[in-house]
Amino acid sequence: MHIFLTNDDGIGAKGIMALYRAAIARGHEVTMCAPKTQQSAAGHRFTLAEPLFVSDYPLEGATGYAITGAPADCVRVGLQMMKEQGKKVDVVISGINDGYNAGIAVHYSGTVGAAMEGAFHYLPSIATSIHHKSTPEMLDHLARFTIEMAEKYAGATVPRATILNINAPCVEPDQLKEPIYAPLDSGYFTDGYERRTSPRAGDYFWMVDGDLEAPEKGTDCWYLSEGHITLTLMGHFISESKAFWDTLGMR
């Protein structure tokens, strides 16, 4: 299977490298097309009026390209390069993001935006993310889990313009509860802005850290707090079909 890897944390970030190692270990062909620089919270933005430059990125046993631009740019340009090279992509995986893309956060996420761009190109596409304080062992566990899910997802019948969104909690692998399907939570962020004054330029605003509102029971954010890996279908046409989740071995 040919796996196309991308992200929004930038090429060479620990999450995408964990996916690369896990995919290679399972014998897959890997092409990595990721932003040259950090692009978190880029959403589904892509570039209209600036050139996009591509440079080779060295990877043992795989092909890598660093691309100037947003995550969605990387998918658009990368898939065009695959077409020019006569290579068929079987699945797009975006991540592993350093921090949850659950609940309301999915609407800001460059990780999710890149996966959705893959889905727009009629490819099975996955976004995968992990708590930002998770251990390297948990990161590697999620990478293996994501590749195994991709192997199943690539053969599933998926509604048009739909992605599979995966998140993993901040626990050790041996403490994980079973993976579970969960709808998105609707709680919003509690962050804000602090007004400050520059002696020369006047007032400005600086973001103050916050969190999400308390999650509703039964949603992705709630299950993550309970120690589950969560899986959510996202898109224009969402399937709640039991047959679909049976395909992925989910209850």
Side-chain angles (χ1 to χ4, degrees), residues 220-231:
D220 58 347
C221 293
W222 184 83
Y223 277 117
L224 285 165
S225 71
E226 295 291 305
H228 295 267
I229 288 179
T230 62
L231 297 93

Side-chain angles (χ1 to χ4, degrees), residues 75-128:
V75 178
R76 293 166 65 89
V77 172
L79 291 179
Q80 178 169 316
M81 290 193 297
M82 296 302 96
K83 185 177 181 179
E84 292 171 351
Q85 295 170 19
K87 293 184 176 181
K88 176 182 178 293
V89 171
D90 295 298
V91 63
V92 172
I93 305 177
S94 182
I96 297 172
N97 190 66
D98 186 22
Y100 289 156
N101 279 308
I104 287 292
V106 301
H107 298 287
Y108 298 92
S109 169
T111 303
V112 171
M116 192 61 76
E117 185 64 36
F120 288 171
H121 285 79
Y122 298 91
L123 292 170
S125 300
I126 296 172
T128 182

Side-chain angles (χ1 to χ4, degrees), residues 57 156 174 248:
Y57 187 85
D174 61 0
L248 300 188

Side-chain angles (χ1 to χ4, degrees), residues 227-244:
H228 295 267
I229 288 179
T230 62
L231 297 93
T232 305
L233 276 182
M234 294 173 46
H236 293 290
F237 308 102
I238 304 303
S239 172
E240 300 292 347
S241 163
K242 183 178 184 302
F244 174 82

